[in-house]
């Protein structure tokens, strides 16, 4: 494998559509409430992409150092564990993307508030620092939260509540509690992608002492948990739309339900790592489709 291919693999591009789902959802909601701004959308998307790549690189590094990535691990190869990328080079890349995330976030805050000293700017700067810390601490450091079964909570918060409701606030500078419903939808589906990842890696995680929620629950209960995540994600969006005087086209996101239904059937029948792995990309893309159909329905209402 060439160095370029190794770095592209370490970036894990298939995770990026999921990262963008929350930002796009926030943009659609801002448009519906009459506060859309292209510069905020582009800057939000760029910041999110930097954060997602940072998380992927930190995960590659942290799981190798902490032993979760080893020769017996199933699933896609990790670049540090295989030796395609050295520890030192990966550390430098993590620093680079942490800085890029920070700088992009500062630009985003300025575009949203046009100030650098008011409480809103300071609050979002702190949220940005927390997002960078969360991206790195999932598997890095002495006490990574991903090794204690807390990854799902952080994914729900940052991919859902912060990603959707936070970006919505950047457009509108108003608090709308109803936005937490579609924000929860994206957060729950994002937690579903992590759950799939952990179901795929359950054997190697057990061997490495990585106590993910799947390791704690067991595969059977993790599948039930997965079903709940997907179903509740759909219900929360249905509730959001139902609470407004929308036309039937507002429920256009229902067109995506067959993809989720197929996915749940596959997960229910899955028995080995190779069964779970393809579903990560499919659930991520289904989530993005869900968001676009939801946004289309809002715009046509």
């Amino acid at each position: 494998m060439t160095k370029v291919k190794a770095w592209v693999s370490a970036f894990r591009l298939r995770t990026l559509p999921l990262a963008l789902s929350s930002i796009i959802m926030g943009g659609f909601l801002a448009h519906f409430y009459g506060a859309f701004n292209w510069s905020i959308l582009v800057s939000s998307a760029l910041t999110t992409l930097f954060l997602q790549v940072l998380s992927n690189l930190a995960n590659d590094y942290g799981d190798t150092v902490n032993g979760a990535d080893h020769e017996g691990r199933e699933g896609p190869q990790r670049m540090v564990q295989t030796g395609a990328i050295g520890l030192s080079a990966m550390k430098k890349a993590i620093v680079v993307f942490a800085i890029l995330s920070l700088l992009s976030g500062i630009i985003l805050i300025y575009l949203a508030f046009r100030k650098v000293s008011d409480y809103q700017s300071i609050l979002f700067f702190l949220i940005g620092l927390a997002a960078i810390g969360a991206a790195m601490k999932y598997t890095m450091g002495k006490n990574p939260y991903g090794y204690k079964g807390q990854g799902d909570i952080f994914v729900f918060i940052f991919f859902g509540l912060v990603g959707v409701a936070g970006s919505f606030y950047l457009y509108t500078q108003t608090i709308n509690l109803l936005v937490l419903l579609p924000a929860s939808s994206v957060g729950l589906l994002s937690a579903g992608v992590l759950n799939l990842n952990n179901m795929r890696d359950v054997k190697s995680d057990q061997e490495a002492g990585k106590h993910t929620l799947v390791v704690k629950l067991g595969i059977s209960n993790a599948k039930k948990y997965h079903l709940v995540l997907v179903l509740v994600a759909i219900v929360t969006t249905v509730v959001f739309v139902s609470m407004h005087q929308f036309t039937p086209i507002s429920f256009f996101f229902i067109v995506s339900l067959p993809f989720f239904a197929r996915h749940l059937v596959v997960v229910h029948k899955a028995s080995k790592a190779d069964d779970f792995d393809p579903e990560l990309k499919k659930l991520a893309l289904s989530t993005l489709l869900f968001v676009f159909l939801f946004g289309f329905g809002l715009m046509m209402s």
Side-chain angles (χ1 to χ4, degrees):
M1 182 180 292
T2 65
K3 283 294 181 182
V4 172
K5 288 184 178 180
W7 282 109
V8 170
S9 179
F11 288 170
R12 291 162 63 187
L13 300 182
R14 68 176 181 172
T15 65
L16 301 187
L18 183 67
L20 289 174
S21 294
S22 60
I23 300 304
I24 295 171
M25 176 71 89
F28 277 129
L29 289 166
H31 184 276
F32 173 72
Y33 287 103
F36 181 75
N37 183 306
W38 274 107
S39 63
I40 292 178
L41 176 67
V42 173
S43 187
S44 297
L46 189 60
T47 302
T48 299
L49 292 177
F50 285 147
L51 283 168
Q52 183 60 54
V53 173
L54 170 64
S55 178
N56 294 341
L57 297 179
N59 194 14
D60 196 310
Y61 177 90
D63 272 344
T64 299
V65 172
N66 290 309
D69 287 346
H70 50 77
E71 292 183 358
R73 177 184 176 274
E74 299 180 85
Q77 288 185 325
R78 295 295 179 83
M79 295 301 100
V80 175
Q81 188 272 322
T82 59
I85 297 175
L87 281 173
S88 178
M90 185 60 80
K91 276 185 180 180
K92 293 176 182 177
I94 290 170
V95 171
V96 168
F97 275 91
I99 293 172
L100 288 173
S101 300
L102 181 62
L103 294 176
S104 181
I106 291 172
I107 293 172
L108 171 60
I109 292 169
Y110 178 76
L111 290 173
F113 304 117
R114 300 295 176 179
K115 297 178 182 179
V116 295
S117 59
D118 67 351
Y119 76 94
Q120 294 172 310
S121 299
I122 294 172
L123 176 60
F124 271 85
F125 180 73
L126 293 176
I127 291 174
L129 291 179
I132 292 172
M136 297 174 66
K137 282 290 292 179
Y138 177 62
T139 59
M140 288 181 67
K142 293 182 179 180
N143 294 297
Y145 64 85
Y147 282 65
K148 297 184 289 186
Q150 298 172 0
D152 299 60
I153 297 173
F154 280 83
V155 164
F156 176 77
I157 291 172
F158 285 100
F159 278 74
L161 304 186
V162 173
V164 178
S167 63
F168 174 81
Y169 187 88
L170 291 174
Y171 291 102
T172 65
Q173 298 181 35
T174 59
I175 295 175
N176 186 333
L177 295 180
L178 288 180
V179 169
L180 295 178
L181 290 169
S184 295
S185 295
V186 177
L188 290 167
L189 291 171
S190 299
V193 173
L194 177 62
N195 190 52
L196 282 172
N197 181 86
N198 291 338
M199 283 194 283
R200 181 198 66 196
D201 295 343
V202 62
K203 291 183 180 179
S204 58
D205 286 344
Q206 285 175 326
E207 293 171 0
K210 184 178 181 180
H211 302 295
T212 64
L213 193 57
V214 174
V215 171
K216 293 182 177 183
L217 293 175
I219 285 291
S220 179
N221 286 329
K223 288 182 178 182
K224 296 175 184 176
Y225 166 65
H226 193 77
L227 174 65
V228 171
L229 289 175
V230 175
L231 292 183
V232 174
I234 294 168
V235 168
T236 52
T237 297
V238 170
V239 172
F240 173 82
V241 174
S242 300
M243 293 180 72
H244 295 77
Q245 294 181 347
F246 286 152
T247 60
I249 194 66
S250 305
F251 291 90
F252 195 60
F253 61 88
I254 291 176
V255 172
S256 66
L257 295 193
F259 295 97
F260 291 110
R262 182 215 61 83
H263 166 74
L264 291 173
V265 170
V266 172
V267 170
H268 177 71
K269 295 179 179 179
S271 59
K272 56 184 185 297
D274 288 344
D275 296 331
F276 292 110
D277 189 63
E279 292 305 306
L280 273 77
K281 180 179 179 179
K282 292 177 182 178
L283 181 56
L285 291 175
S286 295
T287 300
L288 186 60
L289 175 64
F290 177 84
V291 169
F292 272 113
L293 294 177
F294 169 80
F296 177 79
L298 283 186
M299 296 175 70
M300 294 295 103
S301 299

